[in-house]
Amino acid sequence: MNKALRFLAVPTLALGALALSGAPAMAHDGSDHYQSTLGQLNGSSASGSVTVDVTGNQAHAVLKVSGLPATFMDAPYPHVQHIHGGAQGVCPAPSADKDGDQVVSTTEGAPSYGAIVTTLSTSGDTSPAAGLDLKVAGQGGAYTVDRTFELNAETKAALEAGTAVVVVHGLDPATLSAAGQAAKSDLVPSLPLAATSPALCGTLKAGQMQMPTGGADTGITQDTGTDATALAIGGGLTLVALAGGAYAIRRRTAA
């Protein structure tokens, strides 16, 4: 009977090890991953998401938005978007509206999310100075910005400190209060307040990178669809079940 129990123990341990070996390998290869789900500001009906993958001094950002106003003055609505930093690292609450027009303007939101540290342009310049360049703005109600750019010191510091905030600007004037519709932009007085006020906002949070399966590490997060915790628990249950079976055999033999 001792030989039989030893025989049972071998597949028990092997099955547990096999289950645990299915867990995805977690690795840090010098790359860092940040992401955020963007929430609406100023009553916009928009939504979006953003990821930023950093390797050395290079950053790859992918921003996807929808539900923004599609046209402005009979043309595609130009939406500028940026990474802000150097402040609290949060999106402003409605109480940030200090002038009572029921719109949190860009400058009213600045104490929460800070100044522009990177312009997420569709092409060309990503410097803070390009922040109001409508030629490199997103166009229309839904679009994707997919850019690789050199990471400046201010953006790197904000990401590492957890204070980097992505803000997408441009509201539908018709959704604003009468005072908001009548007000001029706090950034470009020749434009209405709606044109430059924030519509979407989200704080970039650090996340772990997973080692991609079936190929070389690309530095981009890949969802393997496998839950390491579930596999570990499954392996443990396998061990418990088989050990229980061996215990039952021993009891019957003793009886």
Side-chain angles (χ1 to χ4, degrees):
M1 182 53 63
N2 286 339
K3 289 183 178 179
L5 291 177
R6 284 198 298 271
F7 178 76
L8 281 172
V10 172
T12 299
L13 295 174
L15 284 170
L18 178 61
L20 291 174
S21 69
M26 305 302 293
H28 191 283
D29 59 354
S31 299
D32 292 293
H33 177 73
Y34 303 87
Q35 61 188 4
S36 180
T37 298
L38 305 180
Q40 65 83 23
L41 285 179
N42 290 315
S44 79
S45 58
S47 60
S49 63
V50 60
T51 61
V52 178
D53 293 305
V54 177
T55 303
N57 66 344
Q58 294 292 307
H60 177 216
V62 178
L63 170 76
K64 298 181 179 181
V65 296
S66 61
L68 291 166
T71 59
F72 184 76
M73 299 178 67
D74 299 322
Y77 202 128
H79 296 277
V80 294
Q81 52 271 313
H82 321 96
I83 301 175
H84 292 249
Q88 301 175 47
V90 298
C91 297
S95 59
D97 170 30
K98 300 304 182 185
D99 58 11
D101 61 7
Q102 300 177 41
V103 179
V104 177
S105 68
T106 299
T107 53
E108 287 174 331
S112 298
Y113 48 64
I116 298 171
V117 292
T118 289
T119 298
L120 293 175
S121 64
T122 55
S123 62
D125 193 356
T126 59
S127 71
L132 294 176
D133 186 353
L134 300 184
K135 296 189 298 295
V136 296
Q139 302 289 320
Y143 56 87
T144 297
V145 176
D146 190 334
R147 291 297 315 280
T148 297
F149 54 92
E150 186 171 345
L151 195 67
N152 60 38
E154 294 78 11
T155 306
K156 180 178 176 63
L159 287 169
E160 292 177 349
T163 59
V165 181
V166 172
V167 181
V168 180
H169 301 260
L171 300 168
D172 180 355
T175 64
L176 305 187
S177 65
Q181 292 183 37
K184 297 298 183 182
S185 166
D186 52 339
L187 301 179
V188 184
S190 61
L191 294 175
L193 178 63
T196 59
S197 293
L200 283 170
C201 180
T203 302
L204 285 163
K205 299 294 186 182
Q208 285 184 307
M209 301 285 289
Q210 285 190 337
M211 184 74 75
T213 57
D217 183 6
T218 62
I220 306 298
T221 299
Q222 178 173 327
D223 184 1
T224 63
T226 306
D227 189 330
T229 302
L231 281 171
I233 293 173
L237 291 176
T238 301
L239 290 172
V240 170
L242 290 177
Y247 177 73
I249 293 174
R250 181 181 297 176
R251 288 290 302 272
R252 286 200 300 270
T253 302

